[in-house]
Amino acid sequence: MSFEQFLFYFFSAILVGSAVAMITVRNPVHAALFLVLAFFTSAAHWIMLEAEFLGILLVLVYVGAVMVLFLFVVMMLDINVARVREGFVRLLPVGLVVAVGMMVVMAMVVGARVFQVESPGRADADYSNTEAIGQLLYTEYVYPFEIAAVILLVAIIAAIVLTLRRRPDSLYMDPAEQIKVQRKDRVRLIKMEAEKK
Amino acid sequence: MTFEIPDFIPVIPELFLLGMACFILVADLFIPQARRDITYGLTQFSVLGALVLTVWLAAPEVRITMSGTFVADPMSDLLKSVVLLISAVVFLYARPYLMTRDLYRGEFYVLGLFGVLGMMVMISANSLLTLYLGLELLSLCLYALVAFNRDSTQAAESAMKYFVLGSIASGVLLYGMSMLYGITGTLDIAGVTAGILTASGEFNMALVFALAFVVVALAFKLGAVPFHMWLPDVYHGAPTPVTLFISTAPKIAGLAIIMRLLVDGMGPLHADWQGMLLILAVLSLAVGNVVAIAQTNIKRMFAYSTISHVGFVLLAIMAGTTEGNAAALFYVIAYALMAAGGFGMVLYLSRQGFEADNIQDFRGLNERSPWFAFIMLLLMAAMAGLPPTLGFYAKLAVLQAVVQVGFIWVAVFAVLMSVIGAFYYLRIIKFMYFDKPEDRTELSRGMDVNVVLSVNGLLMLGLGIFPGILMSLTAAVR
């Protein structure tokens, strides 16, 4: 086994292990952290495939931004894990039978012996896959790329529609109003006669 | 690397709709609630504008552009026109309901427009990638629309169910597509067909494996038994205008991706998917028609009726002939028109604080409004497939196609199930004409709804007497 193969199996084992752990651990924070580990090891796979740009993107975007936000949400929400997990043990045997059955069938049908692909060979040292991806993305794949952008826009709209609530009863300050305030809004000078004793 | 600027002309309707949707999104922020009609008007303008552009740019030849990811052919022209027309009708029917329930907001229209855009992308997809992205764009809008009434826990629950099951279906579809990509090495649908034809024998199992995933995912999205569980709950829980939207145009787009992916893309595997579709169709016909009898909620009843109609569409596709494909297109267009009218009537009867989603609410409609009782009669007769309505010819065309390929027992079974199904449509007619109304609130809607709903109902009769008009359109594109 070459060193590269060793690395592949090493990262794959961690990837599969952390993916399984992610759906089985009880604590949602641990689950999110396992997902981070899974993303890291997939990024390692990308880099081994010489797709460095995608690997780094996965770490920056998913691990750096998405998962951190996700962790924030998990920590802020008080999710009753015990109630969510009701029925897990009861349904586990059925789920296991189905999952194992599926895995056996899939291994029989789409094993490695079916998908034998020639290795594309190594790229030159000065080959930039960032440039290659950029060129393809904005030429050949511009139509799917734009649709993906629209999907993200819809996700933003949907998230705001479903969560933004204007509550007139909540107390808040408007900084713009605060800055614009003038003396006459706050202080009232009243001229009055001095009172006689 | 050389790259030619693609031909943008066939994509103009999509570009127009996208531009208008973005414009409405921003413009709506500056429109006060009292002037929300402006948003509505702009929405109708964009849908009808896209319709005009689609019809204007329609051409008899196949135009592939955007580096092979987009195709415009007679089928896409026809289906896009119907989708746009029905969406305009849906927005029209929905307006009074939204206005009386504090749901009359610009986001409803923006999400709706993006959903329509997703359907157009699906109909014109020429690559697995655009097909999937269009489907996701549509689904995402629908999930949000189902949960649009945030104060309803029922709507939130059904949106959650829809979201989780829909995501699983999308995952299954992607898995099947990734297998196809692995075997054929291309995302282009014509390339996939060529790849299947040249794939060596050792790939046979893997191809059927990919096919099974694709069929399961498509059955999920259309709501065919045994992947129908989400459908009644979503129809029931969603606000009625959203149910109206889900049950009409997306079914047409769903058939379009079946045409593109299964019939065209995986055509060489017809022998393999014929059996799968046969099982789905037979089960859908049985469950849809029998379970609908037990429903008291009209939205749930329509959900089961949708399942049985999906069974018919799948039967037509299963035949695998040109006649079968034309029959499926005819059926799905007819179904979308019927469903639009049916839910339009439910919306017509509803008012502030009253949903009219119980079958009993149709009691004595004849005394309250004879004209709209007649319209509902036409719609129900069309759904049941009684001559001389449109529904009869839709079922007839499917049965002809099925008998032609020798599945006589399936045709007999479909007829039997339709007879069982006729019971619950006729029950509504009985309620309308032979029962006394319990609720005599005056029914009045705007002129626009009255006219369009009447035309919608009369189309059932008109297209039923002259089925050749629609039949020739669908036969010409297949």
Side-chain angles (χ1 to χ4, degrees), chain B residues 2 5 90 260 294 371 393 467:
Chain B
T2 55
I5 297 293
V90 166
R260 298 259 182 242
W371 173 248
Y393 286 97

Side-chain angles (χ1 to χ4, degrees), chain A residues 67-145:
Chain A
M67 286 317 293
V68 170
L69 267 181
F70 201 79
L71 274 177
F72 265 121
V73 175
V74 170
M75 286 179 199
M76 296 234 208
L77 294 178
D78 183 24
I79 301 169
N80 189 348
V81 187
R83 245 192 63 209
V84 175
R85 297 208 149 256
E86 260 175 32
F88 182 76
V89 177
R90 192 164 47 84
L91 295 174
L92 188 64
V94 185
L96 268 183
V97 169
V98 174
V100 170
M102 277 293 281
M103 259 177 67
V104 171
V105 173
M106 281 163 70
M108 276 162 61
V109 177
V110 287
R113 87 205 129 67
V114 182
F115 290 99
Q116 290 290 350
V117 182
E118 293 280 313
S119 164
R122 298 224 169 273
D124 298 334
D126 60 346
Y127 182 77
S128 160
N129 66 55
T130 316
E131 200 184 314
I133 288 173
Q135 276 213 342
L136 272 183
L137 216 50
Y138 292 101
T139 55
E140 295 279 314
Y141 288 95
V142 71
Y143 182 61
F145 182 69

Side-chain angles (χ1 to χ4, degrees), chain B residues 268-398:
Chain B
L269 297 174
H270 175 247
D272 293 304
W273 52 256
Q274 187 170 38
M276 299 184 193
L277 289 196
L278 186 62
I279 295 171
L280 291 173
V282 167
L283 285 176
S284 301
L285 283 169
V287 172
N289 282 313
V290 174
V291 181
I293 294 174
Q295 305 303 321
T296 54
N297 183 295
I298 195 160
K299 282 156 84 179
R300 283 192 97 83
M301 194 200 91
F302 277 149
Y304 283 101
S305 130
T306 302
I307 294 171
S308 70
H309 289 302
V310 164
F312 259 101
V313 172
L314 291 179
L315 264 192
I317 300 277
M318 184 261 331
T321 53
T322 323
E323 288 81 20
N325 295 340
L329 287 174
F330 184 81
Y331 199 101
V332 86
I333 293 173
Y335 164 72
L337 287 172
M338 294 181 228
F343 281 109
M345 280 303 299
V346 179
L347 286 172
Y348 184 83
L349 291 188
S350 68
R351 59 174 183 271
Q352 192 152 24
F354 177 65
E355 290 292 325
D357 60 354
N358 208 306
I359 293 178
Q360 311 279 344
D361 295 331
F362 279 83
R363 262 175 210 267
L365 184 63
N366 186 37
E367 286 180 30
R368 295 167 69 196
S369 166
W371 173 248
F372 281 102
F374 174 65
I375 295 292
M376 188 68 179
L377 168 86
L378 290 179
L379 289 164
M380 289 298 106
M383 283 202 185
L386 302 178
T389 57
L390 179 60
F392 171 72
Y393 286 97
K395 285 192 165 61
L396 186 70
V398 172

